[in-house]
Amino acid sequence: MPGLKTVASTLALVLIVAVCPWFSSSAKANESLVARIEALDAGFTVEALGNRLLARQALSNFYAANGYERAWRSADQRHQLLEAIESASRDGLDPRDYHADVLAELPNRPMQDLPADLQADLDLLFSDAFLMLGSHLLEGKVSPHTIHAEWTANRRQRNMGQVLTAALVNGDIGAAVDALRPTHSDYHRLVQARQTMTGLLGQPWLPIPTRPTIRPGDRDHRLIEIRRRLTALGDLSGPGNLTDPSLYSGDLETALPLFQARHGLEPDGIIGPATLTAINLLPIERVHQIDASLERWRWLPESLGERFVLVNIAGYELKMMDRGVELLRQRVIVGQPFRQTPVFSDRIRYLVVNPTWTVPRRLMIEDQLPQIIRDPDYLQRLNMKVYRGWGADRQLVDPAAINWGTLSPDNFPYQLVQDPGPNNALGQIKFMFPNQYDVYLHDTPSQDLFGRVDRSFSSGCIRVEQPLALAEQLLLGDPNWNRARIHDMVGSNQPKTILLPEPVPVYIQYWTAWVDDRGQLQFRNDIYNRDSRLLARLREDASGGSHRLTPAAVSYQEPQAKDNKEQP
């Protein structure tokens, strides 16, 4: 008799509610939760305890998959998440992005003792905090493509709702959050370095006058403070038993070049304006550099692969790794500030030995044309041919028959092509990974430039110091190629394309702070002024405002795709 069953069920529910008032509170809390999720799905801005819910779609998916039940019933799990939120500051993230302020003020009494609406609000805030924190640890807070903070938690690598569900089931929220951090050892070394650097915050750090220059053997009252700074930064073991701390001698002569080297300065031991500028850099500014570098690490995939090439633009350095072993490390030359090398990842697929160089139109007009006008022998000396038109229909033209002075950006129907040879702008070999920027690695005849401390001289591509050594490592495993045969091919002066046995991932990155293999914290100049804009976005809250005062963001423009595949 269905009618009697219905009555019995209703009576049972009434008895449960009467005997267990928490049941009624819990049911009402779930109803409140459903109402808020429906508002999110309808496109409304929903706040809980004055905090805007950020992970809109991820929250909706999570609660739908869990039957719209409250998720955070365990006080221990809530406490674990609060600890994880506070620990996010070690990663350069702001706990306030994850509702730390309101969640930390939770009353101590059990959740079921709270009003239904408050239960729903707190549950949503805990879930929102987990989803956003996990998302930002996993892939970064700022989008590398738009340089804007992201608040969706709809990340490509993991389904964050499923991650949260699994964490609540096994009960170890802290471990679940920690597992979302990058696993790269470089990242974790930077986190440790950040903790050390934050220990210097609050110490006196008044500017030291940058002139006059101090040389070994000089006496200068500024050396007393310089010694204190280098000791605090770990470059100097301590002041020791000095009879004259204002004398430049002894252990300071050893420590200064080390400090200079790890700041990308000429390690000559001379304390000039550039060295004093680095010494004057505030600890908070160093922390900010580390924060920017940590965020850029979070942009990278969880695994870089067993074998890969990594270029640090700001560090002017390339290294190749294989199963955690460094195969080679080289100096590189990168794009000038007005022709910046972009940050991206790809795969090296082939090499070109003895390449020709087809000069990009922009470079023909901006760089080559003025030199051709000034020097009639310029084209012949650099072994360049001139063609009218493009593609298969182009025609070879005698440069002497061209009135170069009449040409302009709107009237330049020619193409310049440099033949292989010792003066070729691409050198003797180039490493190709077709990409939207038309940037690649290549050799260069200007080897003297590698001796410079600052090496931003190219038009966007990356010049490699020892290209044949890199070619040998990339072709390792191909029985048809070894160093001797590569040398023979270069000597032939004939263009040759060589496919790699397997494409090798290449990561073109931009770090102004990192910890090297010896445990030394390295800093470099922000040559493209990218850190300040990234830091401004990192400090931005969901409303577009800033959590704290930061240096004003400088003008910065994302590098655009090049207009030709031959950018040296």
Side-chain angles (χ1 to χ4, degrees):
M1 298 175 65
L4 290 176
K5 287 184 179 180
T6 302
V7 171
S9 298
T10 302
L11 287 173
L13 180 60
V14 170
L15 285 172
I16 290 173
V17 171
V19 175
C20 304
W22 60 264
F23 181 89
S24 176
S25 174
S26 179
K28 289 180 180 178
N30 290 347
E31 290 177 5
S32 296
L33 193 151
V34 169
R36 287 157 172 74
I37 294 297
E38 287 179 345
L40 283 176
D41 290 341
F44 292 103
T45 297
V46 178
E47 291 188 353
L49 299 178
N51 282 37
R52 179 181 167 192
L53 297 178
L54 305 172
R56 304 173 63 89
Q57 191 60 54
L59 276 173
S60 178
N61 293 342
F62 167 71
Y63 281 103
N66 289 277
Y68 297 98
E69 295 284 334
R70 287 192 298 109
W72 296 87
R73 298 178 184 274
S74 165
D76 177 63
Q77 291 180 354
R78 296 195 298 271
H79 181 68
Q80 287 184 52
L81 181 58
L82 284 170
E83 288 187 334
I85 291 171
E86 289 302 323
S87 72
S89 61
R90 300 201 306 262
D91 298 83
L93 296 172
D94 196 318
R96 285 172 291 186
D97 284 336
Y98 317 109
H99 314 305
D101 293 346
V102 64
L103 294 180
E105 296 176 359
L106 277 172
N108 294 322
R109 57 181 174 159
M111 287 276 278
Q112 61 265 25
D113 293 343
L114 303 175
D117 285 348
L118 183 55
Q119 289 184 43
D121 279 356
L122 289 175
D123 208 81
L124 285 164
L125 284 175
F126 273 107
S127 296
D128 195 55
F130 182 98
L131 293 169
M132 291 310 308
L133 174 59
S135 176
H136 289 171
L137 286 172
L138 183 64
E139 290 191 307
K141 174 182 174 179
V142 178
S143 166
H145 307 295
T146 63
I147 312 295
H148 288 285
E150 292 206 342
W151 303 102
T152 63
N154 301 321
R155 315 303 272 177
R156 71 178 187 278
Q157 293 188 31
R158 307 263 185 95
N159 182 313
M160 290 306 303
Q162 293 177 4
V163 172
L164 174 54
T165 299
L168 290 167
V169 169
N170 65 40
D172 199 339
I173 302 298
V177 172
D178 193 54
L180 295 168
R181 286 183 167 87
T183 58
H184 310 294
S185 59
D186 302 75
Y187 180 87
H188 290 278
R189 287 200 295 262
L190 261 183
V191 169
Q192 291 298 318
R194 187 187 192 279
Q195 287 184 271
T196 301
M197 192 60 65
T198 55
L200 300 180
L201 300 180
Q203 288 195 18
W205 218 272
L206 296 175
I208 301 172
T210 58
R211 295 182 184 278
T213 295
I214 310 172
R215 292 178 169 80
D218 288 351
R219 279 188 172 82
D220 193 296
H221 70 280
R222 292 173 294 170
L223 289 169
I224 299 173
E225 178 60 14
I226 289 171
R227 284 181 176 276
R228 188 191 72 81
R229 301 270 179 98
L230 295 186
T231 300
L233 294 169
D235 297 286
L236 196 61
S237 58
N241 297 319
L242 297 174
T243 57
D244 188 355
S246 63
L247 176 65
Y248 188 176
S249 63
D251 52 358
L252 192 56
E253 291 184 82
T254 302
L256 230 302
L258 296 177
F259 173 86
Q260 290 171 323
R262 72 181 189 88
H263 285 78
L265 302 170
E266 190 68 46
D268 55 13
I270 298 173
I271 309 177
T275 298
L276 282 166
T277 297
I279 291 174
N280 280 330
L281 196 68
L282 296 172
I284 189 61
E285 294 176 289
R286 299 175 191 274
V287 170
H288 285 170
Q289 278 189 269
I290 294 173
D291 288 350
S293 292
L294 286 171
E295 177 71 356
R296 291 186 175 107
W297 268 109
R298 292 190 286 265
W299 291 345
L300 289 173
E302 293 181 66
S303 172
L304 301 182
E306 291 187 346
R307 207 171 140 80
F308 60 88
V309 172
L310 184 64
V311 175
N312 181 6
I313 299 168
Y316 304 118
E317 188 175 70
L318 171 151
K319 65 179 180 180
M320 185 171 179
M321 305 293 294
D322 189 352
R323 297 174 180 86
V325 177
E326 185 180 296
L327 299 180
L328 56 83
R329 183 186 295 263
Q330 299 185 15
R331 293 177 291 188
V332 297
I333 293 168
V334 301
Q336 302 168 70
F338 61 93
R339 288 178 182 163
Q340 299 178 12
T341 300
V343 169
F344 68 103
S345 304
D346 214 293
R347 295 163 73 84
I348 302 175
R349 291 171 169 80
Y350 63 95
L351 321 178
V352 179
V353 178
N354 297 318
T356 59
W357 178 41
T358 301
V359 185
R361 179 176 178 80
R362 183 182 62 178
L363 298 190
M364 282 192 293
I365 295 167
E366 295 179 4
D367 296 356
Q368 305 294 326
L369 181 57
Q371 296 190 66
I372 294 170
I373 294 173
R374 286 195 303 267
D375 181 2
D377 297 326
Y378 176 80
L379 293 173
Q380 182 178 358
R381 188 172 66 256
L382 292 183
N383 202 21
M384 283 189 172
K385 291 186 172 69
V386 182
Y387 293 89
R388 178 185 286 275
W390 291 264
D393 296 331
R394 68 182 185 180
Q395 297 178 341
L396 189 64
V397 177
D398 180 1
I402 301 173
N403 186 350
W404 295 98
T406 64
L407 300 181
S408 68
D410 297 325
N411 175 34
F412 201 102
Y414 302 106
Q415 189 175 54
L416 303 181
V417 179
Q418 188 176 31
D419 287 340
N423 292 325
N424 188 282
L426 305 182
Q428 297 172 315
I429 189 166
K430 65 178 179 178
F431 307 84
M432 299 302 295
F433 37 101
N435 56 82
Q436 63 174 317
Y437 305 104
D438 292 323
V439 162
Y440 47 88
L441 307 172
H442 67 83
D443 183 19
T444 176
S446 305
Q447 288 291 312
D448 58 306
L449 295 179
F450 288 106
R452 305 278 190 91
V453 172
D454 295 319
R455 296 189 291 276
S456 54
F457 302 116
S458 83
S459 295
C461 283
I462 300 153
R463 304 176 191 173
V464 181
E465 184 178 17
Q466 299 174 4
L468 294 183
L470 177 59
E472 182 182 13
Q473 290 296 338
L474 289 171
L475 291 169
L476 206 63
D478 187 336
N480 297 315
W481 292 99
N482 54 36
R483 177 167 286 204
R485 188 167 179 217
I486 296 171
H487 272 280
D488 290 343
M489 180 58 64
V490 168
S492 73
N493 212 36
Q494 296 298 313
K496 172 72 175 179
T497 297
I498 306 172
L499 296 177
L500 297 189
E502 289 185 17
V504 175
V506 57
Y507 302 94
I508 315 296
Q509 298 300 308
Y510 188 91
W511 289 299
T512 60
W514 71 94
V515 179
D516 64 22
D517 296 334
R518 298 167 300 167
Q520 294 291 315
L521 179 57
Q522 301 280 332
F523 289 103
R524 294 296 184 271
N525 288 334
D526 183 10
I527 56 174
Y528 294 161
N529 293 323
R530 292 179 178 175
D531 278 1
S532 54
R533 184 179 181 197
L534 174 56
L535 286 165
R537 297 302 187 184
L538 268 178
R539 302 294 176 252
E540 192 174 85
D541 62 23
S543 68
S546 180
H547 282 306
R548 60 172 70 93
L549 294 177
T550 55
V554 297
S555 176
Y556 168 67
Q557 185 175 3
E558 286 293 312
Q560 300 298 313
K562 303 293 190 290
D563 59 3
N564 192 287
K565 294 183 179 181
E566 301 288 341
Q567 293 279 355

CSV table of all heavy atoms in Angstrom, one decimal, residues 39 46 54 92 130 133 200 250 253 269 281 290 345-346 391 438 542 555:
chain,number,residue,atom,x,y,z
A,39,ALA,N,23.0,30.1,-8.2
A,39,ALA,CA,23.3,31.5,-8.6
A,39,ALA,C,24.6,31.7,-9.4
A,39,ALA,O,24.7,32.5,-10.3
A,39,ALA,CB,23.3,32.4,-7.3
A,46,VAL,N,28.6,35.7,-6.6
A,46,VAL,CA,28.2,35.2,-5.3
A,46,VAL,C,29.3,35.4,-4.3
A,46,VAL,O,30.4,35.1,-4.5
A,46,VAL,CB,27.8,33.7,-5.4
A,46,VAL,CG1,27.4,33.1,-4.0
A,46,VAL,CG2,26.7,33.5,-6.4
A,54,LEU,N,35.4,32.4,-6.3
A,54,LEU,CA,36.2,32.7,-7.5
A,54,LEU,C,36.1,31.5,-8.5
A,54,LEU,O,36.0,31.7,-9.7
A,54,LEU,CB,37.7,32.9,-7.1
A,54,LEU,CG,37.9,34.1,-6.1
A,54,LEU,CD1,39.3,34.1,-5.6
A,54,LEU,CD2,37.5,35.4,-6.7
A,92,GLY,N,55.6,32.3,-2.6
A,92,GLY,CA,55.4,33.6,-3.2
A,92,GLY,C,54.0,33.9,-3.5
A,92,GLY,O,53.7,34.9,-4.2
A,130,PHE,N,40.6,25.7,-1.6
A,130,PHE,CA,41.4,24.6,-2.1
A,130,PHE,C,41.5,24.6,-3.6
A,130,PHE,O,42.6,24.4,-4.1
A,130,PHE,CB,40.7,23.3,-1.6
A,130,PHE,CG,41.5,22.0,-2.0
A,130,PHE,CD1,42.3,21.4,-1.1
A,130,PHE,CD2,41.4,21.5,-3.3
A,130,PHE,CE1,43.0,20.3,-1.5
A,130,PHE,CE2,42.1,20.4,-3.7
A,130,PHE,CZ,42.9,19.8,-2.8
A,133,LEU,N,43.9,27.6,-4.6
A,133,LEU,CA,45.3,27.4,-4.2
A,133,LEU,C,45.9,26.2,-5.0
A,133,LEU,O,47.0,26.4,-5.5
A,133,LEU,CB,45.3,27.1,-2.7
A,133,LEU,CG,46.7,26.7,-2.1
A,133,LEU,CD1,47.7,27.8,-2.4
A,133,LEU,CD2,46.6,26.3,-0.7
A,200,LEU,N,66.0,38.4,6.3
A,200,LEU,CA,66.7,39.6,6.3
A,200,LEU,C,65.7,40.8,6.3
A,200,LEU,O,66.2,42.0,6.5
A,200,LEU,CB,67.6,39.7,5.1
A,200,LEU,CG,68.7,38.7,4.9
A,200,LEU,CD1,69.5,38.9,3.7
A,200,LEU,CD2,69.6,38.6,6.1
A,250,GLY,N,92.2,41.1,2.6
A,250,GLY,CA,91.8,39.8,3.2
A,250,GLY,C,90.7,39.1,2.6
A,250,GLY,O,90.5,39.1,1.3
A,253,GLU,N,88.5,40.5,-0.3
A,253,GLU,CA,89.0,40.4,-1.7
A,253,GLU,C,88.6,39.1,-2.4
A,253,GLU,O,88.5,39.0,-3.6
A,253,GLU,CB,90.5,40.5,-1.7
A,253,GLU,CG,91.1,41.8,-1.3
A,253,GLU,CD,92.6,41.9,-1.4
A,253,GLU,OE1,93.1,42.1,-2.6
A,253,GLU,OE2,93.3,41.7,-0.4
A,269,GLY,N,86.5,42.3,-8.7
A,269,GLY,CA,86.8,42.8,-7.3
A,269,GLY,C,86.8,44.2,-7.1
A,269,GLY,O,87.0,44.7,-6.0
A,281,LEU,N,70.6,46.6,-3.3
A,281,LEU,CA,69.3,46.0,-3.6
A,281,LEU,C,68.6,45.5,-2.3
A,281,LEU,O,69.2,44.8,-1.5
A,281,LEU,CB,69.4,44.9,-4.5
A,281,LEU,CG,68.2,44.4,-5.2
A,281,LEU,CD1,67.7,45.4,-6.2
A,281,LEU,CD2,68.5,43.1,-6.0
A,290,ILE,N,62.6,36.5,-6.6
A,290,ILE,CA,62.4,35.1,-6.4
A,290,ILE,C,61.0,34.7,-6.7
A,290,ILE,O,60.7,33.7,-7.3
A,290,ILE,CB,62.8,34.7,-5.0
A,290,ILE,CG1,64.3,34.9,-4.8
A,290,ILE,CG2,62.4,33.3,-4.7
A,290,ILE,CD1,64.8,34.7,-3.4
A,345,SER,N,58.0,27.2,-25.3
A,345,SER,CA,58.5,25.9,-25.3
A,345,SER,C,58.2,25.2,-26.6
A,345,SER,O,57.2,25.5,-27.2
A,345,SER,CB,58.0,25.0,-24.2
A,345,SER,OG,58.2,25.6,-22.9
A,346,ASP,N,59.1,24.4,-27.1
A,346,ASP,CA,58.9,23.7,-28.4
A,346,ASP,C,59.8,22.4,-28.4
A,346,ASP,O,60.2,22.0,-27.3
A,346,ASP,CB,59.2,24.6,-29.6
A,346,ASP,CG,58.2,24.3,-30.7
A,346,ASP,OD1,58.3,23.2,-31.3
A,346,ASP,OD2,57.4,25.2,-31.1
A,391,GLY,N,60.0,33.6,-53.5
A,391,GLY,CA,59.6,32.2,-53.9
A,391,GLY,C,60.4,31.8,-55.2
A,391,GLY,O,61.4,32.3,-55.6
A,438,ASP,N,59.2,32.4,-34.9
A,438,ASP,CA,60.3,32.1,-35.9
A,438,ASP,C,61.6,32.5,-35.2
A,438,ASP,O,62.5,33.1,-35.8
A,438,ASP,CB,60.1,33.0,-37.1
A,438,ASP,CG,58.9,32.5,-38.0
A,438,ASP,OD1,58.7,31.2,-38.0
A,438,ASP,OD2,58.2,33.3,-38.5
A,542,ALA,N,41.2,39.4,-6.7
A,542,ALA,CA,40.1,39.1,-7.7
A,542,ALA,C,39.4,40.3,-8.2
A,542,ALA,O,38.8,40.2,-9.3
A,542,ALA,CB,39.2,38.1,-7.1
A,555,SER,N,56.4,49.8,-18.5
A,555,SER,CA,55.8,49.5,-19.8
A,555,SER,C,56.4,48.2,-20.3
A,555,SER,O,57.6,48.0,-20.3
A,555,SER,CB,56.1,50.6,-20.7
A,555,SER,OG,55.6,50.3,-22.0
